[in-house]
Amino acid sequence: MSLLNTPFWEVLKASFAPEVWAEILPAAFDTLYMTLVASAITLVFGFALGVAITVTRRDGLLPAATFNAAAGWLINCFRSLPQMIMIILMIPVARLVFGRSYGMNSCIIALAASCVPMYARIVESSLLEISKGKIEAAKSMGSGNLRIIFRVLLPETLPSLIRGFTVAVVAIISMSALAGNFGAGGIGDIAVRFGFQRFRHEVLFACVYVLVVIVQAVQFAGDTASKLILKKRRLI
Amino acid sequence: MSGQIPAPKGYLEIENLKKSFTVRGERLEVLRGVSLSVEEGDIFGVIGLSGAGKSTLARCVNRLETPDSGSVVVGGVDMLRLSARELNRERQRIGMIFQQFNLFESKTVYQNIAYPLRVRGLRKDEIDRGVREAAEVVGLSDKLPAYPAGLSGGEKQRVGIARALANRPDVLLSDEATSSLDPRTTLSILELLKDVNRAFGVTILLITHEMDAVKYACRNMAVLENGVISERGVTRDVFSNPNSSTGKMFMRVYAEMREEYTEGGGI
Ligand SMILES: Nc1ncnc2c1ncn2[C@@H]1O[C@H](COP(=O)(O)OP(=O)(O)O)[C@@H](O)[C@H]1O
Ligand SMILES: [Mg+2]
């Protein structure tokens, strides 16, 4: 059913038909799976990398100029690649790791390669928000650096870290849709195959609903969590 | 290496301390040979204009800043010759309070006061006792579950003081602790500092640009001007007979303010 020969309202109605959703739902779960795994990887590695490049800054807790410069340069390299190019670049890597260059797990490598450096930068900017005075207060009490990182730096910036992670997850969702074109499956794949190549616009509509709902849910969860923490601390 | 130095003159002994910063290629000499001697149990005021280097001086005492040369000896320990680990142990004997309070907003009042006790690795029940005692001293026993953001300025500084005193330090560095508080709250915080000085014998280095604070709380004082101590002595004497230009200027501004306040009906 195409918009070219069917009225908008008809396409809209058809997009809620059960046969459409029979095709959409498995793909939606694939997208969720890819997003979930890639988000977990991004959280762990992006977070660790973000903390590392923050504390090793010249004015940081554990200055390490060479490491900081090298890590910053590497992050910038990865960040300068558009997602599409990253997906293509990661095809041989995926073949090396999983023995094949397509499928969800291969796609997750590209998602991680793109989003880990991005989230590292977001984490860095969140951590830099802390007032230097709090770090100095902790130092003045004789606190060691690890304690300052885990008991002061991270808890103080937690609401901002959560909001940053929300941004990263939304980016992962949109990139996973793009990766659909390159054999990853999921909503992006369905949208292109049915909505674009076969002019089944009711399927395209349904894909849009799924993406909008997922992104809204993620954003809502992130906003709510960070707001609850700020409320508890009486900061809003 | 414990850096023991025999027979110190004062409890807090600063000698010929120099510190400069390089900002965009330009060398800024902030401390140009500061010498100070603070008796054990004293409340010693350091007054100076904004930018005079007062904070830098305080931060050199607990090594938040590393001086270029000179010496800082606290209770016989040379602060400039300590390993990182030894420095952290010495810092537990030197509390510090700040103009901006610098409380941890992610922690309750209880957790803020507990932080230095956790640093020391105390047991849970020891921490609990320490927190409650310190909160009692500053009169905040009923605010322990509250978060700092919900407190008034005066209450925040009380938490800062409790946190700084929780480990029963020998020295308390107060860097403009009352400078963002209203006059009445300032008075109550100074009163509290005098109380803890009496009760625990803690030596206080009170750094401020407020004349009233020094006059009210300090037995001895020094004026920091152009990176050196331009005047020092018993507070009463310095006030009645200032020699340095900063000292004189302070006294003049002080007198003018007094007049204005009186004309305006007082504060
Ligand atoms: N870390 C720093 N880097 C560069 N300049 C500094 C630094 N800390 C202080 N200064 C400069 O040193 C001077 C004295 O600062 P400070 O000790 O904070 O003065 P005060 O506390 O008396 O107002 C100021 O001109 C300030 O800009
Ligand atoms: Mg200052």
Side-chain angles (χ1 to χ4, degrees):
Chain A
M1 193 177 285
S2 167
L3 281 171
L4 295 175
N5 53 28
T6 319
F8 178 78
W9 290 111
E10 294 297 316
V11 177
L12 195 66
K13 243 191 287 170
S15 69
F16 292 99
E19 356 18 308
V20 170
W21 286 90
E23 285 164 328
I24 290 278
L25 275 181
F29 282 113
D30 285 354
T31 292
L32 276 180
Y33 168 79
M34 285 188 283
T35 305
L36 219 66
V37 177
S39 298
I41 294 172
T42 298
L43 181 61
V44 172
F45 292 98
F47 184 74
L49 189 57
V51 171
I53 58 171
T54 309
V55 301
T56 55
R57 286 166 65 101
R58 195 151 42 96
D59 55 352
L61 273 174
L62 303 160
T66 318
F67 170 84
N68 190 269
W73 183 81
L74 206 65
I75 287 174
N76 291 346
C77 284
F78 274 72
R79 294 256 291 143
S80 56
L81 300 181
Q83 295 177 340
M84 175 112 89
I85 295 177
M86 183 66 84
I87 293 166
I88 297 168
L89 268 179
M90 285 300 136
I91 287 174
V93 178
R95 194 177 291 133
L96 214 69
V97 176
F98 295 110
R100 54 180 199 155
S101 56
Y102 56 92
M104 289 196 283
N105 288 331
S106 306
C107 162
I108 285 169
I109 291 183
L111 292 179
S114 192
C115 293
V116 164
M118 175 190 67
Y119 187 54
R121 283 294 185 211
I122 295 178
V123 167
E124 180 188 34
S125 77
S126 289
L127 296 182
L128 289 175
E129 283 169 18
I130 195 172
S131 76
K132 279 194 118 36
K134 289 178 188 171
I135 306 269
E136 303 221 307
K139 278 189 181 172
S140 80
M141 290 179 257
S143 183
N145 287 327
L146 278 184
R147 183 184 294 270
I148 294 179
I149 291 171
F150 287 104
R151 304 278 180 203
V152 179
L153 187 55
L154 300 187
E156 289 294 313
T157 55
L158 186 60
S160 173
L161 289 169
I162 291 173
R163 261 179 284 127
F165 186 59
T166 311
V167 172
V169 173
V170 171
I172 288 170
I173 293 166
S174 93
M175 188 175 167
S176 81
L178 181 68
N181 299 330
F182 297 85
I187 287 291
D189 178 42
I190 297 276
V192 172
R193 274 196 293 134
F194 290 81
F196 181 64
Q197 289 162 355
R198 299 190 208 166
F199 294 101
R200 283 190 56 191
H201 287 151
E202 79 280 15
V203 181
L204 185 60
F205 278 25
C207 289
V208 171
Y209 306 153
V210 170
L211 290 174
V212 168
V213 166
I214 295 177
V215 169
Q216 293 287 0
V218 167
Q219 193 64 49
F220 177 77
D223 286 349
T224 306
S226 110
K227 222 181 273 171
L228 281 178
I229 294 170
L230 289 173
K231 266 221 181 84
K232 186 175 144 215
R233 297 178 181 176
R234 302 282 302 262
L235 290 168
I236 49 172
Chain B
M1 190 173 73
S2 64
Q4 289 289 333
I5 287 193
K9 284 170 277 169
Y11 192 76
L12 169 59
E13 197 71 35
I14 298 170
E15 245 178 63
N16 204 20
L17 196 69
K18 294 186 181 169
K19 174 72 186 176
S20 60
F21 296 104
T22 307
V23 185
R24 273 174 261 109
E26 256 185 73
R27 213 170 128 88
L28 183 65
E29 289 190 46
V30 176
L31 302 179
R32 302 186 299 167
V34 171
S35 298
L36 271 187
S37 178
V38 181
E39 298 284 312
E40 185 161 13
D42 196 8
I43 305 184
F44 191 100
V46 175
I47 197 163
L49 296 173
S50 177
K54 304 181 298 291
S55 295
T56 306
L57 177 63
R59 294 155 53 79
C60 281
V61 173
N62 62 358
R63 281 281 305 280
L64 288 177
E65 212 74 78
T66 303
D68 302 336
S69 65
S71 80
V72 177
V73 180
V74 181
V77 177
D78 184 344
M79 295 299 292
L80 307 185
R81 255 174 241 160
L82 298 171
S83 67
R85 180 183 294 263
E86 288 167 335
L87 176 60
N88 277 341
R89 216 173 30 237
E90 286 309 315
R91 279 175 174 166
Q92 290 167 22
R93 298 196 305 119
I94 306 174
M96 190 172 194
I97 53 177
F98 309 84
Q99 178 172 5
Q100 301 306 329
F101 320 124
N102 292 339
L103 301 179
F104 306 131
E105 287 166 308
S106 60
K107 303 186 195 308
T108 61
V109 170
Y110 184 102
Q111 292 164 331
N112 266 278
I113 303 176
Y115 190 91
L117 301 168
R118 297 216 161 95
V119 167
R120 244 177 82 201
L122 296 187
R123 285 196 324 266
K124 214 169 151 48
D125 57 317
E126 294 170 320
I127 290 173
D128 192 61
R129 187 146 27 87
V131 170
R132 288 177 196 288
E133 277 174 16
E136 175 92 50
V137 168
V138 301
L140 280 183
S141 298
D142 56 331
K143 296 283 187 190
L144 287 176
Y147 281 86
L151 302 180
S152 71
E155 288 169 334
K156 283 179 188 166
Q157 196 55 289
R158 282 170 189 274
V159 177
I161 293 172
R163 190 175 65 170
L165 290 179
N167 271 328
R168 292 289 166 88
D170 305 325
V171 177
L172 182 65
L173 304 173
S174 166
D175 187 5
E176 306 270 16
T178 58
S179 297
S180 54
L181 302 175
D182 64 67
R184 184 185 307 232
T185 313
T186 294
L187 209 64
S188 77
I189 292 294
L190 292 173
E191 194 59 61
L192 174 60
L193 291 179
K194 283 167 81 167
D195 284 347
V196 300
N197 168 262
R198 258 196 306 271
F200 309 117
V202 58
T203 306
I204 301 179
L205 188 66
L206 194 135
I207 281 170
T208 181
H209 66 268
E210 298 170 309
M211 303 287 297
D212 280 321
V214 174
K215 197 166 186 183
Y216 183 75
C218 304
R219 289 185 271 272
N220 297 290
M221 65 173 284
V223 178
L224 184 63
E225 185 184 5
N226 292 325
V228 293
I229 300 295
S230 62
E231 183 147 0
R232 86 192 71 207
V234 178
T235 306
R236 204 178 334 109
D237 301 343
V238 176
F239 267 78
S240 58
N241 185 22
N243 293 316
S244 69
S245 61
T246 307
K248 283 185 178 132
M249 193 274 303
F250 262 120
M251 297 312 144
R252 204 178 57 240
V253 172
Y254 184 66
E256 279 169 14
M257 270 167 55
R258 268 290 136 95
E259 251 164 57
E260 262 172 49
Y261 281 140
T262 324
E263 278 167 17
I267 33 170

